[in-house]
Short mmCIF file of all heavy atoms in Angstrom, two decimals:
data_model
loop_
_atom_site.label_atom_id
_atom_site.label_comp_id
_atom_site.label_asym_id
_atom_site.label_seq_id
_atom_site.Cartn_x
_atom_site.Cartn_y
_atom_site.Cartn_z
N GLY A 67 16.77 -11.87 -18.64
CA GLY A 67 16.56 -13.25 -19.04
C GLY A 67 16.11 -13.33 -20.50
O GLY A 67 16.46 -14.26 -21.22
N ARG A 71 12.88 -9.26 -25.71
CA ARG A 71 11.62 -8.58 -25.43
C ARG A 71 11.85 -7.21 -24.77
O ARG A 71 10.90 -6.61 -24.28
CB ARG A 71 10.77 -9.40 -24.47
CG ARG A 71 10.41 -10.77 -24.97
CD ARG A 71 9.72 -11.51 -23.84
NE ARG A 71 9.39 -12.87 -24.23
CZ ARG A 71 9.02 -13.81 -23.37
NH1 ARG A 71 8.95 -13.52 -22.09
NH2 ARG A 71 8.73 -15.02 -23.78
N SER A 82 7.10 2.77 -13.27
CA SER A 82 8.37 2.08 -13.02
C SER A 82 9.57 2.94 -13.40
O SER A 82 9.69 3.40 -14.54
CB SER A 82 8.40 0.78 -13.83
OG SER A 82 9.67 0.19 -13.73
N ILE A 146 15.85 3.69 -9.43
CA ILE A 146 15.58 2.25 -9.51
C ILE A 146 15.92 1.61 -8.16
O ILE A 146 15.18 0.76 -7.66
CB ILE A 146 16.41 1.62 -10.65
CG1 ILE A 146 15.85 2.05 -12.00
CG2 ILE A 146 16.45 0.09 -10.53
CD1 ILE A 146 16.67 1.60 -13.17
N LYS A 233 12.77 -16.20 21.46
CA LYS A 233 13.78 -17.13 20.95
C LYS A 233 13.16 -17.90 19.79
O LYS A 233 12.43 -18.86 19.99
CB LYS A 233 14.19 -18.10 22.06
CG LYS A 233 14.93 -17.43 23.19
CD LYS A 233 16.30 -18.06 23.33
CE LYS A 233 17.30 -17.26 24.13
NZ LYS A 233 16.82 -16.46 25.21
N LYS A 237 14.69 -23.86 11.31
CA LYS A 237 15.20 -25.22 11.27
C LYS A 237 15.30 -25.73 9.84
O LYS A 237 16.16 -26.56 9.55
CB LYS A 237 14.26 -26.15 12.07
CG LYS A 237 14.40 -26.01 13.55
CD LYS A 237 15.72 -26.60 14.03
CE LYS A 237 15.90 -26.44 15.52
NZ LYS A 237 17.27 -26.77 15.93
N GLY A 243 18.96 -27.75 -1.41
CA GLY A 243 19.96 -27.50 -2.46
C GLY A 243 20.07 -26.05 -2.88
O GLY A 243 20.71 -25.76 -3.87
N ASN A 247 15.97 -17.69 -4.05
CA ASN A 247 15.95 -16.84 -2.86
C ASN A 247 17.28 -16.83 -2.11
O ASN A 247 17.62 -15.84 -1.47
CB ASN A 247 14.86 -17.31 -1.90
CG ASN A 247 13.52 -17.32 -2.56
OD1 ASN A 247 13.26 -18.14 -3.42
ND2 ASN A 247 12.66 -16.40 -2.20
N ASP B 44 23.52 -30.83 -6.22
CA ASP B 44 23.05 -29.53 -5.78
C ASP B 44 21.74 -29.20 -6.51
O ASP B 44 21.69 -28.33 -7.35
CB ASP B 44 24.14 -28.49 -6.11
CG ASP B 44 23.74 -27.09 -5.69
OD1 ASP B 44 22.95 -26.97 -4.74
OD2 ASP B 44 24.21 -26.13 -6.31
N THR B 55 10.41 -24.60 8.39
CA THR B 55 10.19 -25.02 9.76
C THR B 55 10.96 -24.11 10.71
O THR B 55 12.14 -23.81 10.46
CB THR B 55 10.63 -26.48 9.95
OG1 THR B 55 9.89 -27.28 9.04
CG2 THR B 55 10.34 -26.97 11.36
N GLY B 59 11.67 -21.11 21.30
CA GLY B 59 12.06 -21.56 22.63
C GLY B 59 13.38 -22.31 22.62
O GLY B 59 14.00 -22.50 21.58
N VAL B 84 6.60 -1.74 -10.18
CA VAL B 84 8.00 -1.63 -10.59
C VAL B 84 8.27 -2.35 -11.91
O VAL B 84 9.29 -2.10 -12.56
CB VAL B 84 8.97 -2.17 -9.52
CG1 VAL B 84 8.80 -1.41 -8.22
CG2 VAL B 84 8.77 -3.66 -9.29
N CYS B 106 7.25 -11.00 -19.79
CA CYS B 106 8.33 -10.85 -18.81
C CYS B 106 9.68 -10.88 -19.51
O CYS B 106 9.93 -11.73 -20.36
CB CYS B 106 8.24 -11.97 -17.77
SG CYS B 106 9.58 -11.92 -16.57
N TYR B 111 13.53 -7.37 -11.30
CA TYR B 111 13.30 -6.18 -10.48
C TYR B 111 12.13 -6.41 -9.53
O TYR B 111 12.14 -5.94 -8.39
CB TYR B 111 13.06 -4.98 -11.39
CG TYR B 111 13.12 -3.64 -10.72
CD1 TYR B 111 14.00 -3.41 -9.66
CD2 TYR B 111 12.32 -2.59 -11.13
CE1 TYR B 111 14.06 -2.17 -9.05
CE2 TYR B 111 12.37 -1.35 -10.53
CZ TYR B 111 13.24 -1.15 -9.48
OH TYR B 111 13.29 0.08 -8.87
N GLY B 119 9.98 -12.35 -0.59
CA GLY B 119 10.72 -13.33 -1.37
C GLY B 119 9.80 -14.35 -2.01
O GLY B 119 10.10 -15.53 -2.08
N ARG B 128 13.77 -18.42 -18.13
CA ARG B 128 14.30 -17.08 -17.90
C ARG B 128 13.19 -16.03 -17.75
O ARG B 128 13.31 -14.92 -18.27
CB ARG B 128 15.29 -16.70 -19.02
CG ARG B 128 16.58 -17.52 -18.96
CD ARG B 128 17.39 -17.38 -20.23
NE ARG B 128 16.77 -18.12 -21.31
CZ ARG B 128 16.51 -17.62 -22.51
NH1 ARG B 128 16.83 -16.40 -22.78
NH2 ARG B 128 15.95 -18.37 -23.43
#
Side-chain angles (χ1 to χ4, degrees):
Chain A
R71 300 173 182 167
S82 173
I146 289 174
K233 293 239 163 33
K237 284 289 178 191
N247 303 70
Chain B
D44 180 28
T55 302
V84 301
C106 177
Y111 193 34
R128 291 166 286 130

